[in-house]
Amino acid sequence: MFPQVLPTYNRTEIAFVRGEGPYLFAEDGKRYLDFGAGIAVNAFGHAHPVLVAALTEQAHKLWHTSNLYRVPGQESLAKRLTEVTFADTCFFTNSGVEACELAWKMARRYQFVSGHPERFRIICFEGAFHGRTMAAIAAGGNVKYLEGFGPKVEGFDSIAPGDLKAVEAAIGPETAAVLIEPIQGEGGVRVMTPDYMRGLRKLCDEHGILLILDEVQTGVGRTGKLFAHEWAGITPDIMPIAKAIGGGFPVGALLATAEAAKGMTAGTHGSTYGGNPLAMAVANAALALVLEPQFIPLVAAIANYLQQQLGQLLADHPTVFEEVRGQGLLLGLKLKVPNTEFVTAARHEGLLVVGAGDNVVRLLPPLIINETHVREAVTKLAAAATSFEPKAKTDAA
Ligand SMILES: *Cc1c(COP(=O)(O)O)cnc(C)c1O
């Protein structure tokens, strides 16, 4: 019989029934330390009391009204997001890819209303990931994700990241925008340097094109800043976010300057669910947590500690690990053994981590972890690594 749930995922035979802070509990009662956080989503761990209260309180009042009416939760979240970022305006979505889709529409529309209807192409990068819609797989450029789905959506020009000359060469009379993740998450935790990010900003300004930073994975505190572009001291024109902003409730947002958004008038875009009262209640509470004065400094401090510990782990297991990459709590271990096997070995030790491109294992813990959780994770990573190392001669005898 064909699987009743469409078999598009390579799932692990495990189901969780409960979560608490950075821990998940499986059906059989086994406890796991969750250093995947639902792919950088559960930034506040599982069942955070503040988020649970925000959701249940709203659930008793009102779930959904549609965007035919004002949604006060959207107004308060947009007010807060625009106060603490470059942005002047926000649109709320249900997912990361929907925020990305609007980013591309907005960039094209900006050029259209600026007298450049010919500018519709978007420069994007090899190894990128922006989601799984038709346009997103064109923007990501991963041939595995494009195969069999017909002609690639027109207007996405993929080049290698890291080389400003290549970007300049790719800018043509039809270019509308440059689209990049400050750190490629799915692509293998590949960090763009601050110099490169500043160079992109400068090129965009010189050529009258928009800079779109996809911070769906890097945003909302993950890298030790509220947004990863702050490390380079630049701001984008347009920025899709999602994942951590809902702490596990499906919600995304598109942030933009008033200038970049000037073409998006009534009727140009919409969503039935986007920014509904439930999503807004949780996202407002989540943002308030991140904006507590001590929150992000604590993320930076615990990230430092984790990175130090991983340095030692690497030194202790040179045949398993090649390098540590990333920033803040978006970290990657580049492996010398197959990453899928390592993910399994770590899970057998009771630690959840996530694979990525380039034979990398991602560590994406909840942002609320402490030193005890770090030590527990590193002990489990060491145990997983040992399972790949040749046994000492005395054992074999
Ligand atoms: C996860 C991700 C997306 C897609 O988000 P969905 O919520 O899965 O649609 C887009 N861009 C980046 C950088 C991501 O990490």
Side-chain angles (χ1 to χ4, degrees):
M1 194 178 74
F2 198 81
Q4 291 168 343
V5 175
L6 194 72
T8 60
Y9 298 107
N10 266 319
R11 296 179 198 268
T12 301
E13 270 303 320
I14 187 168
F16 298 107
V17 293
R18 190 167 71 79
E20 195 183 312
Y23 293 101
L24 278 172
F25 298 85
E27 284 170 320
D28 64 0
K30 189 174 170 188
R31 187 177 87 155
Y32 293 81
L33 180 58
D34 183 9
F35 266 43
I39 319 183
V41 167
N42 302 101
F44 314 94
H46 300 278
H48 191 292
V50 170
L51 301 186
V52 172
L55 181 62
T56 45
E57 195 188 310
Q58 186 61 45
H60 286 287
K61 288 196 283 195
L62 183 65
W63 290 20
H64 179 82
T65 58
S66 87
N67 286 300
L68 296 172
Y69 312 100
R70 284 181 46 226
V71 180
Q74 291 184 15
E75 294 166 10
S76 51
L77 185 57
K79 178 170 188 293
R80 207 73 189 97
L81 282 171
T82 54
E83 277 167 1
V84 297
T85 67
F86 72 96
D88 302 308
T89 188
C90 306
F91 182 95
F92 298 104
T93 67
N94 312 289
S95 68
V97 77
E98 286 170 81
C100 290
E101 282 277 344
L102 174 55
W104 309 324
K105 286 179 73 175
M106 182 182 281
R108 288 181 174 187
R109 185 87 185 156
Y110 164 82
Q111 298 292 359
F112 177 81
V113 300
S114 300
H116 291 291
E118 77 285 1
R119 294 191 187 170
F120 73 100
R121 309 194 69 85
I122 294 173
I123 295 173
C124 45
F125 294 90
E126 290 160 15
F129 182 80
H130 303 288
R132 296 297 203 108
T133 61
M134 295 293 269
I137 58 177
N142 184 332
V143 289
K144 267 196 327 214
Y145 296 169
L146 284 158
E147 187 184 37
F149 294 116
K152 200 174 129 183
V153 169
E154 175 68 355
F156 292 92
D157 301 319
S158 196
I159 61 171
D163 177 3
L164 289 170
K165 290 229 166 61
V167 179
E168 188 155 30
I171 296 173
E174 295 183 341
T175 304
V178 170
L179 161 71
I180 195 163
E181 301 153 86
I183 301 173
Q184 289 187 341
E186 304 296 316
V189 192
R190 297 202 287 177
V191 182
M192 304 301 143
T193 66
D195 274 346
Y196 182 67
M197 296 296 287
R198 285 191 284 268
L200 290 179
R201 178 69 272 177
K202 192 157 165 279
L203 279 176
C204 287
D205 291 342
E206 285 167 4
H207 292 269
I209 60 184
L210 299 178
L211 180 60
I212 304 171
L213 296 183
D214 181 346
E215 294 233 25
V216 168
Q217 189 155 157
T218 53
V220 197
R222 170 75 36 201
T223 68
K225 298 266 189 202
L226 186 56
F227 291 101
H229 62 260
E230 295 169 29
W231 289 105
I234 59 154
T235 57
D237 302 295
I238 298 177
M239 179 172 76
I241 69 171
K243 293 198 165 100
I245 189 62
F249 197 92
V251 53
L254 196 273
L255 278 61
T257 63
E259 174 66 10
K262 69 184 179 184
M264 302 306 295
T265 47
T268 54
H269 195 64
S271 164
T272 300
Y273 287 125
N276 96 352
L278 287 175
M280 294 299 96
V282 179
N284 271 298
L287 185 63
L289 288 176
V290 180
L291 293 177
E292 279 175 10
Q294 276 314 299
F295 191 91
I296 288 180
L298 278 172
V299 173
I302 197 69
N304 245 333
Y305 182 67
L306 174 56
Q307 288 172 30
Q308 273 169 24
Q309 301 285 305
L310 293 176
Q312 187 58 47
L313 179 77
L314 246 75
D316 292 345
H317 302 276
T319 61
V320 178
F321 302 113
E322 191 172 312
E323 66 168 348
V324 187
R325 310 170 168 176
Q327 191 142 39
L329 290 177
L330 174 41
L331 295 172
L333 293 169
K334 165 97 171 151
L335 299 186
K336 294 178 180 172
V337 300
N339 62 349
T340 48
E341 287 176 28
F342 190 89
V343 169
T344 305
R347 194 174 60 248
H348 288 149
E349 300 297 332
L351 177 71
L352 303 176
V353 292
V354 185
D358 205 22
N359 203 34
V360 162
V361 163
R362 264 177 296 175
L363 307 181
L364 305 161
L367 305 181
I368 46 100
I369 53 165
N370 61 34
E371 293 194 0
T372 308
H373 303 129
V374 168
R375 283 192 291 270
E376 184 183 341
V378 173
T379 302
K380 291 177 186 307
L381 288 169
T386 304
S387 71
F388 290 90
E389 289 165 342
K391 292 226 166 31
K393 266 201 185 114
T394 45
D395 292 351

